[in-house]
């Protein structure tokens, strides 16, 4: 039997069916390339969903994990450790934050952020100030609290009752927030650029407007930068493109470059509400994870790499526009840095997955963001020649669907 069918049969036999993986199984990766069991080569524009910021098996990361693996893997938070302290300092020195909490994923960072927002409001204003405002189409993770704050009803279906006190405004519409916000609002939660929801950047002045509304009602502004963080948009965090800062920020995905880690950043004043014993995580701040994360941030903290993200963005956009001129399949090409989305025209709506499958058959891996948007989240150091090669393959995939 075909290996692809054997793989699928085994997957269906042993895995909970919550995923529907592609029919290839990558076994090795280097930079922006992957190879499957048969040795077929793929250009990787998916980057592990905005995680592999340095591509696959970057030598700085493999060295960091090797060295740390011979010293110390895990302690629990009964002790602190050197890599965690270094990483916390690194995050504080480069952002608005004064305090850091470590965990293992984006959901867990958001869970901590939402709990902290509630606890801070409870401590300072009382239990009535517990309402959370988030946005339609937003994505904040898959735990019960994070699917509740997320603005996509389909992720909550069948899991109710969900936590109470969450309301949804319209992204990029300050008036819709004004209608919901009150002195009972404890937090407004927002992605500075919506990822999963379709790669939708914040409109000019939207995030600043949220800051003003939060200040007026003594609500905390929480930025979910799980996808947009760690230079994805060309700055360390996307809020740095604006004139304001959040009160709480969550980071994960690219923070570990492929090793699981999450972080919640905040001020000393707000952090006080997470006093001893209020919250925790066994693996949070694990030395192995923090050592890898330090190597990721050390490598990315480099002017040439950061400046190049804008150049690579332009290369992507220009090539995608050229493709679109020929085939006229996108009605919008948008994004920031190396978080790029192409929205399909009416005729192909609902078909994003077919394009991703056809692209895979041509040797290039990309993602969807909802049913109508193709999403690109490659390594931040993807070589220009891999961008060009991958987009040529994408063009072949497009021809296979729409005809030459
Ligand atoms: C991926 C993502 C999450 C969830 O992160 P996990 O590590 O999968 O739990 C949360 N928020 C945003 C914006 C994301 O893109």
């Amino acid at each position: 039997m075909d290996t692809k069918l054997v793989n699928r049969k085994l997957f269906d036999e042993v895995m909970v069916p919550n995923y529907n993986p592609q029919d290839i199984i990558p076994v090795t990766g280097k930079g922006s390339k992957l190879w499957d069991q048969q040795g077929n080569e793929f250009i990787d524009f998916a980057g592990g969903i905005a995680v592999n910021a340095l591509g696959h098996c970057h030598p700085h990361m493999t060295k960091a994990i090797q060295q740390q693996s011979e010293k110390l893997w895990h302690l629990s938070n009964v002790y602190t450790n050197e890599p965690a302290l270094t990483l916390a300092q690194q995050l504080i020195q480069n952002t608005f934050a004064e305090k850091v909490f470590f965990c293992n994923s984006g959901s867990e960072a958001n869970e901590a952020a939402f709990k902290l927002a509630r606890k801070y409001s409870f401590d300072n204003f009382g239990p009535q100030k517990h309402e959370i405002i988030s946005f339609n189409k937003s994505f904040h993770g898959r735990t019960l609290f994070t699917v509740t704050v997320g603005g996509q009803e389909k992720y909550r279906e069948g899991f109710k009752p969900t936590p109470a006190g969450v309301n949804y405004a319209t992204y990029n519409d300050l008036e819709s927030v004004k209608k919901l916000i009150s002195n009972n609002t404890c937090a407004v939660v927002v992605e500075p650029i919506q990822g999963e929801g379709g790669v939708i950047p914040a409109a000019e002045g939207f995030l600043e407007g949220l800051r003003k509304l939060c200040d007026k009602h003594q609500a905390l502004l929480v930025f979910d930068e799980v996808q947009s963080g760690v230079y994805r948009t060309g700055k360390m965090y996307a809020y740095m493109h604006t004139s304001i800062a959040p009160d709480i920020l969550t980071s994960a995905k690219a923070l570990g470059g492929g090793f699981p880690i999450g972080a919640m950043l905040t001020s000393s004043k707000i952090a006080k509400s997470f006093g001893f014993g209020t919250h925790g995580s066994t693996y949070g701040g694990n030395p192995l994870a923090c050592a890898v994360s330090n190597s990721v941030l050390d490598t990315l903290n480099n002017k040439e790499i950061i400046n190049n993200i804008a150049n690579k963005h332009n290369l992507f956009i220009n090539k995608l526009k050229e493709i679109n001129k020929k085939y006229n399949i996108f009605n919008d090409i948008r994004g920031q840095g190396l978080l790029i989305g192409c929205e399909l025209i009416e005729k192909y709506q609902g078909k994003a997955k077919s394009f991703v499958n056809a692209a895979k058959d041509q040797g290039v891996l990309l993602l969807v963001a909802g049913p109508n948007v193709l999403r690109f989240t490659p390594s931040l150091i993807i070589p220009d020649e891999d961008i060009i090669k991958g987009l040529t393959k994408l063009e072949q995939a497009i021809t296979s669907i729409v005809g030459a």
Side-chain angles (χ1 to χ4, degrees):
M1 199 169 26
D2 183 323
T3 2
K4 284 178 177 172
L5 289 175
V6 173
N7 289 337
R8 185 64 208 207
K9 206 165 158 275
L10 180 58
F11 179 88
D12 289 340
E13 207 174 289
V14 299
M15 297 290 194
V16 168
N18 61 315
Y19 300 117
N20 178 24
Q22 295 277 1
D23 59 5
I24 54 158
I25 296 193
V27 289
T28 45
K30 190 77 202 152
S32 286
K33 295 201 180 99
L34 283 168
W35 291 270
D36 72 3
Q37 292 165 317
Q38 287 73 35
N40 298 312
E41 184 179 294
F42 298 87
I43 302 284
D44 185 8
F45 286 165
I49 317 188
V51 166
N52 302 309
L54 295 174
H56 299 281
C57 304
H58 190 283
H60 292 178
M61 292 173 70
T62 51
K63 189 173 159 212
I65 198 166
Q66 266 164 15
Q67 287 183 343
Q68 187 60 40
S69 75
E70 285 163 16
K71 285 202 252 175
L72 187 66
W73 288 39
H74 178 76
L75 283 169
S76 88
N77 288 294
V78 175
Y79 310 90
T80 189
N81 67 77
E82 292 172 356
L85 292 170
T86 305
L87 182 59
Q89 283 174 298
Q90 193 143 207
L91 289 167
I92 287 167
Q93 275 158 18
N94 292 294
T95 69
F96 75 98
E98 298 165 325
K99 292 283 192 283
V100 179
F101 167 79
F102 289 122
C103 50
N104 310 291
S105 69
S107 297
E108 208 189 340
N110 283 331
E111 187 80 20
F114 306 159
K115 279 180 73 181
L116 177 60
R118 284 230 169 128
K119 183 68 164 43
Y120 172 83
S121 295
F122 177 88
D123 290 349
N124 291 280
F125 304 97
Q128 78 291 343
K129 193 173 173 69
H130 66 260
E131 290 177 9
I132 293 174
I133 297 173
S134 75
F135 293 90
N136 292 321
K137 289 191 182 174
S138 67
F139 183 80
H140 299 298
R142 298 296 204 129
T143 65
L144 199 55
F145 202 172
T146 56
V147 291
T148 305
V149 175
Q152 302 185 52
E153 177 58 29
K154 64 174 195 259
Y155 293 141
R156 285 190 288 278
E157 231 166 68
F159 298 115
K160 288 175 186 177
T162 46
V166 181
N167 291 296
Y168 312 93
T170 305
Y171 197 70
N172 284 334
D173 179 358
L174 283 174
E175 288 306 316
S176 73
V177 182
K178 278 183 200 158
K179 280 188 195 138
L180 294 174
I181 202 164
S182 76
N183 290 338
N184 290 336
T185 306
C186 87
V188 174
V189 177
V190 67
E191 294 162 87
I193 166 167
Q194 284 191 332
E196 219 71 30
V199 188
I200 303 166
E204 183 93 37
F206 177 61
L207 300 171
E208 289 85 349
L210 292 180
R211 176 75 273 174
K212 271 199 191 127
L213 286 171
C214 283
D215 291 344
K216 187 173 160 199
H217 295 279
Q218 293 176 293
L220 299 180
L221 182 57
V222 179
F223 279 5
D224 178 346
E225 294 232 31
V226 169
Q227 188 154 167
S228 61
V230 192
Y231 302 98
R232 178 58 48 191
T233 68
K235 293 202 188 268
M236 187 173 181
Y237 287 100
Y239 84 86
M240 294 170 178
H241 295 284
T242 73
S243 58
I244 53 114
D247 299 301
I248 299 177
L249 178 150
T250 54
S251 187
K253 291 203 163 101
L255 186 60
F259 199 96
I261 185 169
M264 180 192 67
L265 282 57
T266 191
S267 68
S268 299
K269 184 179 161 212
I270 296 165
K272 265 199 195 112
S273 287
F274 259 3
F276 177 62
T278 52
H279 191 66
S281 173
T282 298
Y283 283 124
N286 170 294
L288 207 52
C290 292
V292 176
S293 184
N294 278 318
S295 77
V296 173
L297 293 186
D298 287 341
T299 307
L300 286 172
N301 191 4
N302 171 315
K303 274 214 174 79
E304 200 185 313
I305 289 181
I306 297 166
N307 290 338
N308 258 325
I309 295 171
N311 298 333
K312 292 180 192 299
H313 168 92
N314 291 337
L315 180 59
F316 256 103
I317 298 289
N318 291 336
K319 289 271 162 205
L320 287 165
K321 281 185 178 161
E322 275 174 32
I323 290 175
N324 201 33
K325 232 185 213 157
K326 280 197 221 166
Y327 302 95
N328 193 25
I329 57 165
F330 305 133
N331 61 29
D332 197 16
I333 298 169
R334 61 189 177 233
Q336 218 177 2
L338 288 173
L339 175 50
I340 293 168
C342 296
E343 188 177 302
L344 294 162
I345 58 166
E346 185 106 17
K347 182 174 168 194
Y348 298 110
Q349 299 244 316
K351 293 269 173 13
K353 196 68 200 280
S354 324
F355 284 89
V356 169
N357 289 338
K360 180 258 309 164
D361 291 339
Q362 295 297 331
V364 58
L365 307 178
L366 45 136
L367 300 166
V368 301
N372 308 327
V373 176
L374 306 185
R375 178 170 39 154
F376 304 80
T377 55
S379 158
L380 302 178
I381 55 171
I382 182 172
D384 289 355
E385 57 267 28
D386 286 353
I387 297 177
I388 293 165
K389 207 170 154 187
L391 289 176
T392 305
K393 289 171 186 289
L394 174 63
E395 185 172 342
Q396 286 159 359
I398 290 169
T399 344
S400 77
I401 291 182
V402 310

